[in-house]
Amino acid sequence: MDFVSKSQSSGIVADLSKHTVVTAVEDAAMPSAAACAPTRSYQNGAAYFQVNLLTCFVDFCPGKQAYDTLVVSFEGAGPPFERPDGTRDGFGTKFLTDSGYSVLAFKPKIVNWYRSPDVVEYFKFLAASRFFHGFSNVVFTGGSMGGYASLAFSAVHPGSTIVAIQPQSTLAPHIVPWEDRWNYGRQYDWHGPFADAIDSTRLAKRVIVAYDPMLKQDAMHVHRLDQHNIFHVQLPFVGHKVGGAMRDAGVLKDFTRWSINGELDHEKCRHIRKSCRASTAYYEGAIPALMRRQRKKAVAALLKHAPLNYEEFPRAWMAASQYYSAVGEIAFADRQWKAVAKGNSRNARLGIGCVRYLAETGRTERASARLAWLLERAVDKAFVRSWAETNAPKLNLVYSPVDIAATDAATNPGEAAVQPNEMVER
């Protein structure tokens, strides 16, 4: 059908809007005004209805050709952390609606790993109302924080498919004390329903998990899950950028479509893995990892194809610079860093890369001077401060927390004593 019939869509919207009555009776903490908003449209013109929960917007977009397939999608945890705009597209909604699937998109107002009572109770309501039974194929998907949600909330519809990209299984400190990457997520209540994805994924028909097996914590989350129904899509060296690597390699849409339609197999998985070796994320991760293993010939081979434009691919460029300094081409590396510092003197990430390079090549005084300049003049001073507080002592760099605090109040900082293009002079 070209579009879901008016009667069908009205019935679904009525079911969703019943949540107002349910919450008013059962849970006073839930927003009594939660109800279906007027029909809206995504940027691609796909029409949707919206339920406004206390901490989350929930969009329902009836599908076209693939109406019987429902994809439940969850946004990840990247910035911004506060997201009051309910009109934004949800995770993957453009591709999913263009493909004709029905979509139920969860768009958090704050980054809280969906651990708020309103979201938990809303899923209970959807299950109790048998909402998911109106579809022959139900798929839960998301990345990182959204990956956790796709694993955990799939329990509301046993027999569904899960497509989780670099997910966490839980952030409960008492369950995964080794997970320390998202302390702001760990502060929420990790008890009660849906807190641990282990309990949910056992009920799924198939669990497709795409992750980097070389990234220890991500791999540990995956291996916590029940393995009987998991299909592993392992993309080495791309780190916590699996979705970005597939997108850069031009295979993210294929991966998503194959996963939803039940077509992903080992041959297609090999194609995805091979394609991702051309992504920037792969070079950013592979070069340092191979250098740690003293695989210099392998690094040299990678550098023949690596994207080394520092303005467009700063992390890949910095990874390559580690190789040049490690093989003794210090003069060449110095000239490279000097050019970068001159052309991107206020870029926080490149500036910190230069600080680290100087420190690791024994020039701690120059590294300290460069760090002081960045603390005063970088575009993203907060990022530099955070890095300095954690890493400067490890590199024996001289900096003062008092000076860092002073830069916050400085409105018109003067010229630094040492100019950025002088930082790598020998």
Side-chain angles (χ1 to χ4, degrees), residues 110-123:
I110 57 172
V111 173
N112 66 352
W113 262 258
Y114 303 94
R115 292 303 303 161
S116 52
D118 58 322
V119 175
V120 171
E121 291 302 317
Y122 194 64
F123 269 105

Side-chain angles (χ1 to χ4, degrees), residues 11-78:
I12 292 170
V13 175
D15 285 343
L16 293 175
S17 63
K18 288 177 186 176
H19 189 50
T20 304
V21 179
V22 172
T23 55
V25 174
E26 296 183 357
D27 191 346
M30 292 286 286
S32 59
C36 229
T39 302
R40 302 179 178 183
S41 297
Y42 291 126
Q43 294 182 7
N44 65 348
Y48 66 93
F49 305 96
Q50 186 174 88
V51 172
N52 187 0
L53 301 181
L54 183 64
T55 66
C56 195
F57 300 104
V58 185
D59 299 349
F60 175 67
C61 182
K64 296 181 181 180
Q65 295 85 357
Y67 171 78
D68 284 345
T69 292
L70 173 70
V71 181
V72 186
S73 76
F74 302 87
E75 285 184 348

